[in-house]
């Protein structure tokens, strides 16, 4: 894994957003993204949106949505 970059670009943040929300990132990188989200409105709203969406998907999964649907929704989102 490459060393953490203290000054992440929006592009980098969005690239790692799903791993970030899933808690799958290296702690250093996770910290850098948190820092970026604190000073970048647009990435913050994007992350907030994805987080809510993830919650909704999780709720839907508990009731009825099959895993294949969740995977499809997720692949659609990453194409944005
Ligand atoms: Zn940003």
């Amino acid at each position: 894994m490459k060393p953490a970059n203290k000054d992440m670009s929006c592009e980098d943040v969005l690239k790692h957003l799903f791993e970030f929300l899933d808690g799958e990132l290296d702690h250093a990188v996770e910290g850098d993204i948190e820092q970026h989200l604190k000073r970048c409105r647009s990435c913050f709203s994007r992350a907030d949106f994805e987080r809510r969406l993830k919650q909704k998907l999780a709720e839907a999964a508990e009731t009825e949505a099959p895993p294949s649907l969740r995977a499809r929704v997720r692949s659609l989102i990453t194409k944005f």
Side-chain angles (χ1 to χ4, degrees):
M1 184 159 244
K2 64 180 179 177
N5 180 353
K6 287 294 160 206
D7 206 14
M8 287 190 111
S9 67
C10 296
E11 200 186 336
D12 286 335
V13 170
L14 294 180
K15 203 158 62 189
H16 295 298
L17 192 55
F18 285 105
E19 292 154 286
F20 174 73
L21 293 176
D22 287 342
E24 289 167 1
L25 283 178
D26 196 81
H27 278 304
V29 183
E30 200 176 274
D32 288 346
I33 291 184
E34 272 165 14
Q35 287 306 311
H36 183 97
L37 293 183
K38 275 180 195 162
R39 56 192 164 77
C40 181
R41 270 265 149 225
S42 86
C43 287
F44 179 83
S45 16
R46 178 67 195 263
D48 196 48
F49 172 80
E50 301 292 359
R51 191 177 283 138
R52 284 167 207 270
L53 198 64
K54 210 166 118 62
Q55 260 171 16
K56 287 227 186 306
L57 286 178
E59 283 163 20
E62 276 175 22
T63 53
E64 54 185 331
S68 62
L69 176 67
R70 294 173 65 208
R72 201 158 62 211
V73 171
R74 185 165 166 148
S75 79
L76 278 176
I77 297 164
T78 51
K79 279 180 199 152
F80 274 156

